[in-house]
Amino acid sequence: PSLVGSEMCIRDSSLANVGDVKNIGLPTLAVGSPDYSVVGCVNCGAISFLTLNSDGSLHSSSFVRDGSGALPPLSTNEFMGAAVAPVGDYNGDTVPDLVVGAPGYGSSGSFLLLLLNGSADIVSAVRYTENSLGLPPLGSGAGLGAAMATVPDGRGGPAGAILVGAPRADGRTNATRGLIMGAISDGTG
């Protein structure tokens, strides 16, 4: 178990260096805890943001769970935080942003694009599902968002593409399944 502030997480399963969120020259890590539960929302998930000093000690932390900021309502067994990946400064406000997997959402899973402010608070969140992305049906229990990674754009801007795992797409088990969810544009072409 890990302790962040006054919140206890049973199992932390994902970790990503988001970047210098607070613009103070220190890295902020996002730690996903997909089995975090609150009353009425079992295994809905949570994200801890840990800003580290240069010696690795904790500078500051914040905790995001169901009902936090602009985060959309979470559902039981959503497992938000199963995967996390940085996307750079997606919206041009100089603060790095993040994508977070929620493989238990709905019938086939989802991921969220979280836009952060300099305090690591979520100022905007967009949920992506197979339907909103225009994908063919992945099948019940596909686990969209179980794994995530980003591909750099090669110009120092935000991520060029998001890679999203759906390990049980089409009802397969132990199959290697991944989707390239498309380019993320920074508006410069």
Side-chain angles (χ1 to χ4, degrees):
S2 65
L3 182 63
V4 177
S6 62
E7 302 288 347
M8 179 68 111
C9 298
I10 305 301
R11 178 179 55 98
D12 301 323
S13 77
S14 60
L15 173 71
N17 181 352
V18 182
D20 186 6
V21 171
K22 298 185 178 203
N23 197 24
I24 55 175
L26 299 174
T28 296
L29 304 179
V31 181
S33 302
D35 57 358
Y36 180 81
S37 299
V38 295
V39 174
C41 190
V42 177
N43 297 325
C44 52
I47 304 289
S48 299
F49 291 100
L50 310 174
T51 301
L52 304 179
N53 292 311
S54 58
D55 65 0
S57 62
L58 185 63
H59 177 272
S60 60
S61 66
S62 61
F63 192 74
V64 175
R65 62 183 178 99
D66 188 42
S68 296
L71 191 67
L74 302 178
S75 58
T76 291
N77 295 325
E78 182 166 330
F79 301 106
M80 191 262 307
V84 294
V87 294
D89 180 12
Y90 179 79
N91 59 345
D93 66 353
T94 73
V95 178
D97 301 305
L98 179 71
V99 285
V100 177
Y105 178 80
S107 67
S108 60
S110 73
F111 68 94
L112 298 120
L113 170 63
L114 305 181
L115 303 180
L116 307 175
N117 67 15
S119 298
D121 296 323
I122 299 169
V123 295
S124 180
V126 179
R127 183 183 298 277
Y128 294 94
T129 65
E130 67 181 358
N131 292 333
S132 68
L133 294 164
L135 297 173
L138 299 175
S140 182
L144 181 67
M148 303 195 76
T150 51
V151 178
D153 74 347
R155 299 173 295 165
I162 302 171
L163 306 176
V164 182
R168 294 172 304 284
D170 301 325
R172 299 179 183 183
T173 57
N174 300 320
T176 303
R177 304 288 280 179
L179 305 166
I180 298 176
M181 301 317 293
I184 298 176
S185 172
D186 63 0
T188 62

